[in-house]
Amino acid sequence: MIDSHVHLDDPKFDYDREDIINSLKDRGIDRVYNIGADLESSIASVSLAKKYDNIKAVIGIHPHDAINYNDKVEEKLIDLAKDENVRAIGEIGLDYYYDNSPRDIQVEVFKRQIELADKLNLPIVVHSRDASEETFNIIKESKEKYPNLTFLIHCFSQSVEMMKRYIDQGCYIALGGVVTFKNAKVPKEVAKEVPLNRLLLETDCPYLAPTPMRGKRNEPYYVKYVAEEIASIRNMEVKDLVEITDANTRRFYND
Ligand code: NI
């Protein structure tokens, strides 16, 4: 199966990155998408993808780092995107929970990278926290301007109603470890209601490990716990679910 969102360049994998990547196949993971969050991790994503067949790269500047975005950074992203392993721009968006960059700059940098994705003809992986209405409005406006763009809302943590509005905009929805948490009432409802042909599975490792690994370092093969939980919520076989979500992932990433 596929894990649509990993950060294997994270320092938490420094001591066993090679082992983790080499054991993916044996542990049932065919492919992972390594997601950038700043220039350094975007470069690292492309390097990993060049080195390993089972890794593809996503590059972009996270809202936390929006303050450091400039023409030079954008040129570097354009340069990196020339590599055929780069499958999307991300993770980009808005984070009004941490507010690590001023909100007006987050908005500006999100919009600039959406424009960039359109130019490069790449889909977009979106990070959105405590900014659900604002994120939605920017995506809706962008779809009017750039109708061919496709968005994936990663680690979806908003309401069922918001999910439906995103679906109406042609977006994909990715669910991760949070859906396995006992008290995650809303994510479980989203897992039940989301149209199956728009659902992706992810870990966001090393963050947000699913139950029963909660609190530990997350790893790509724990995506199976996410699959098991959603299959159980939807009353279907895990393998049937994974067949669909894997196909969705490849369709989203044009891969
Ligand atoms: Ni992430």
Side-chain angles (χ1 to χ4, degrees), residues 5 7 91 154 204:
H5 192 117
H7 299 279
E91 54 187 286
H154 128 78
D204 201 16

Side-chain angles (χ1 to χ4, degrees), residues 132 136 140 153 156 158-173 186 189-195 198 234:
S132 110
F136 178 80
K140 190 165 182 283
I153 318 300
F156 190 84
Q158 304 168 33
S159 66
V160 170
E161 192 229 326
M162 278 312 293
M163 178 273 287
K164 290 180 175 163
R165 292 171 69 195
Y166 280 112
I167 292 292
D168 286 344
Q169 293 297 321
C171 299
Y172 286 81
I173 301 288
V186 175
E189 274 170 34
V190 169
K192 196 174 174 184
E193 300 286 330
V194 63
R198 301 290 186 82
R234 297 191 72 120

Side-chain angles (χ1 to χ4, degrees), residues 41-60:
S41 57
S42 295
I43 293 168
S45 289
V46 175
S47 306
L48 283 170
K50 278 182 161 167
K51 194 166 170 199
Y52 302 99
D53 285 347
N54 52 356
I55 301 182
K56 295 289 168 182
V58 175
I59 58 169

Side-chain angles (χ1 to χ4, degrees), residues 5-7 35-37 62 91 125 127 154-155 202-208:
H5 192 117
V6 303
H7 299 279
I35 315 287
H62 194 282
E91 54 187 286
V125 178
H127 169 103
H154 128 78
C155 202
E202 65 171 34
T203 59
D204 201 16
C205 65
Y207 313 106
L208 290 168

Side-chain angles (χ1 to χ4, degrees), residues 71-175:
D71 290 345
K72 243 180 118 180
V73 170
E74 188 165 294
E75 268 164 39
K76 188 69 197 163
L77 290 175
I78 292 170
D79 204 41
L80 283 171
K82 287 178 185 143
D83 191 296
E84 56 172 12
N85 289 298
V86 173
R87 308 309 313 172
I89 297 295
E91 54 187 286
I92 65 172
L94 303 174
D95 194 314
Y96 291 180
Y97 178 79
Y98 285 107
D99 277 327
N100 286 357
S101 288
R103 292 183 181 184
D104 56 333
I105 294 177
Q106 290 189 42
V107 167
E108 189 197 319
V109 169
F110 186 25
K111 288 181 177 172
R112 271 186 75 172
Q113 290 181 99
I114 290 171
E115 198 184 326
L116 178 66
D118 182 69
K119 258 190 235 155
L120 297 169
N121 204 14
L122 290 170
I124 295 172
V125 178
V126 176
H127 169 103
S128 175
R129 188 155 182 203
D130 281 8
S132 110
E133 203 61 39
E134 296 87 340
T135 308
F136 178 80
N137 289 335
I138 291 174
I139 288 176
K140 190 165 182 283
E141 274 169 32
S142 305
K143 287 290 288 181
E144 282 159 19
K145 235 165 135 184
Y146 316 109
N148 293 328
L149 272 183
T150 311
F151 294 83
L152 164 67
I153 318 300
H154 128 78
C155 202
F156 190 84
S157 56
Q158 304 168 33
S159 66
V160 170
E161 192 229 326
M162 278 312 293
M163 178 273 287
K164 290 180 175 163
R165 292 171 69 195
Y166 280 112
I167 292 292
D168 286 344
Q169 293 297 321
C171 299
Y172 286 81
I173 301 288
L175 294 174

